[in-house]
Amino acid sequence: MSSFQLEDFVAGWIGGAASVIVGYPLDTVKTRLQAGVGFGNTLSCIRMVYRRESVFGFFKGMSFPLASIAVYNSVVFGVFSNTQRFLSQHHCEEPETSPGRSLSDLLLASMVAGVVSVGLGGPVDLIKIRLQMQTQPFQEASLSLKSRAMALGEQPAYQGPVHCITTIVRTEGLVGLYRGASAMLLRDIPGYCLYFIPYVLLRAISWGTATPMDVVKSRLQADGVYLNKYRGVLDCISQSYQQEGLKVFFRGITVNAVRGFPMSAAMFLGYELSLQALRGDHAVTSP
């Protein structure tokens, strides 16, 4: 039997769409907390977003992630499942296959999925965060930088996903779409190892360890809506620590943990049920 199976990509697409719809409101809150200013805690952030932008504020910029993250999730699940299956089938041909080797297969497949996720997901996440952050009240820091907001007045920086993409490419080049990609790699490679391995072995979740680099990623990707403040990952870590202390790297961890359960449940349930339907069986024991 061939190791490549298209059903994993289709099921991943369905699971990705389900997770976006379920988790987007809290994702907006998480992004505002990590990269924004003026929010005391999670509840005050929710109240402020609702008061200023109504319930629609929580879904700002969702159309682009809904269309693209579903595809991104499809590729990540498909790459992970097919890589793991390929490695497992390759080792099955060898005389002895140890449990350690099976774990190394999961580890390698998770790392491959993490790298692929950054290549596809970096621009998607960047556009999502720029659209989420453009209504964030701008506070001019003690930096000798001029705010783009002053020239724009009350106008939003971006009129939508397409305008956001073209503006970034025009002002920052194609490389601008991958701002924060190094932080995303540092988040996603270990993150997917702790995401997929428990999924296969224990069906568990692991957002806590990813939050510090998620904060750095969010700040780097939001950087550029009105001004450019950070020169890279290390500069972002240094400035954030100097200005706000160690606790800044765990900002949004509560929201991440809370949204992680319904998002992961929707994603994996959508993935498993659609995979069962596509394969016409009643039990999916391995991705």
Side-chain angles (χ1 to χ4, degrees), residues 25-150:
L26 283 177
D27 184 69
T28 298
V29 174
K30 185 266 300 183
T31 300
R32 300 281 179 95
L33 283 170
Q34 290 181 339
V37 292
F39 302 115
N41 54 45
T42 302
L43 289 177
S44 73
C45 180
I46 292 171
R47 284 196 300 266
M48 198 175 295
V49 172
Y50 180 74
R51 190 169 62 246
R52 288 175 174 168
E53 305 167 55
S54 79
V55 70
F56 298 107
F58 295 102
F59 295 92
K60 190 174 291 294
M62 191 182 81
S63 59
F64 183 66
L66 187 59
S68 52
I69 288 179
V71 176
Y72 154 82
N73 217 68
S74 164
V75 173
V76 169
F77 265 88
V79 166
F80 169 77
S81 300
N82 283 284
T83 302
Q84 191 223 344
R85 192 178 297 110
F86 170 79
L87 292 170
S88 298
Q89 289 185 0
H90 174 71
H91 292 320
C92 281
E93 297 172 1
E94 298 181 3
E96 294 182 5
T97 303
S98 66
R101 178 161 287 171
S102 297
L103 185 60
S104 69
D105 290 348
L106 286 173
L107 188 65
L108 182 57
S110 300
M111 292 173 70
V112 172
V115 173
V116 170
S117 77
V118 174
L120 287 173
V124 173
D125 217 29
L126 179 78
I127 302 305
K128 172 183 72 69
I129 285 177
R130 292 287 179 94
L131 291 172
Q132 286 174 327
M133 292 300 298
Q134 67 175 343
T135 56
Q136 161 69 25
F138 175 79
Q139 292 185 356
E140 192 165 10
S142 56
L143 304 166
S144 56
L145 297 170
K146 292 197 73 174
S147 166
R148 220 183 296 166
M150 293 177 180

Side-chain angles (χ1 to χ4, degrees), residues 118 180-191 209-210 213 233-234 237:
V118 174
S182 51
M184 201 171 180
L185 275 171
L186 292 171
R187 183 196 71 170
D188 282 1
I189 291 178
T209 56
M213 290 313 301
V233 174
L234 293 178
I237 293 172

Side-chain angles (χ1 to χ4, degrees), residues 84-253:
Q84 191 223 344
R85 192 178 297 110
F86 170 79
L87 292 170
S88 298
Q89 289 185 0
H90 174 71
H91 292 320
C92 281
E93 297 172 1
E94 298 181 3
E96 294 182 5
T97 303
S98 66
R101 178 161 287 171
S102 297
L103 185 60
S104 69
D105 290 348
L106 286 173
L107 188 65
L108 182 57
S110 300
M111 292 173 70
V112 172
V115 173
V116 170
S117 77
V118 174
L120 287 173
V124 173
D125 217 29
L126 179 78
I127 302 305
K128 172 183 72 69
I129 285 177
R130 292 287 179 94
L131 291 172
Q132 286 174 327
M133 292 300 298
Q134 67 175 343
T135 56
Q136 161 69 25
F138 175 79
Q139 292 185 356
E140 192 165 10
S142 56
L143 304 166
S144 56
L145 297 170
K146 292 197 73 174
S147 166
R148 220 183 296 166
M150 293 177 180
L152 294 170
E154 294 297 317
Q155 276 289 97
Y158 312 112
Q159 269 75 62
V162 175
H163 181 248
C164 182
I165 293 169
T166 55
T167 301
I168 291 169
V169 171
R170 187 174 65 251
T171 58
E172 304 174 50
L174 284 173
V175 72
L177 293 174
Y178 286 91
R179 181 184 289 271
S182 51
M184 201 171 180
L185 275 171
L186 292 171
R187 183 196 71 170
D188 282 1
I189 291 178
Y192 274 117
C193 289
L194 294 173
Y195 194 68
F196 278 119
I197 292 174
Y199 164 61
V200 173
L201 301 178
L202 304 171
R203 302 306 198 250
I205 320 169
S206 62
W207 250 112
T209 56
T211 297
M213 290 313 301
D214 189 49
V215 171
V216 175
K217 176 200 70 68
S218 293
R219 291 188 165 207
L220 285 169
Q221 290 181 325
D223 191 41
V225 176
Y226 296 122
L227 56 77
N228 291 316
K229 182 179 178 183
Y230 306 116
R231 293 190 298 274
V233 174
L234 293 178
D235 183 51
C236 180
I237 293 172
S238 175
Q239 284 196 47
S240 298
Y241 177 74
Q242 288 173 11
Q243 293 169 13
E244 301 172 70
L246 189 63
K247 68 180 184 297
V248 70
F249 299 108
F250 296 93
R251 183 173 290 175
I253 190 169

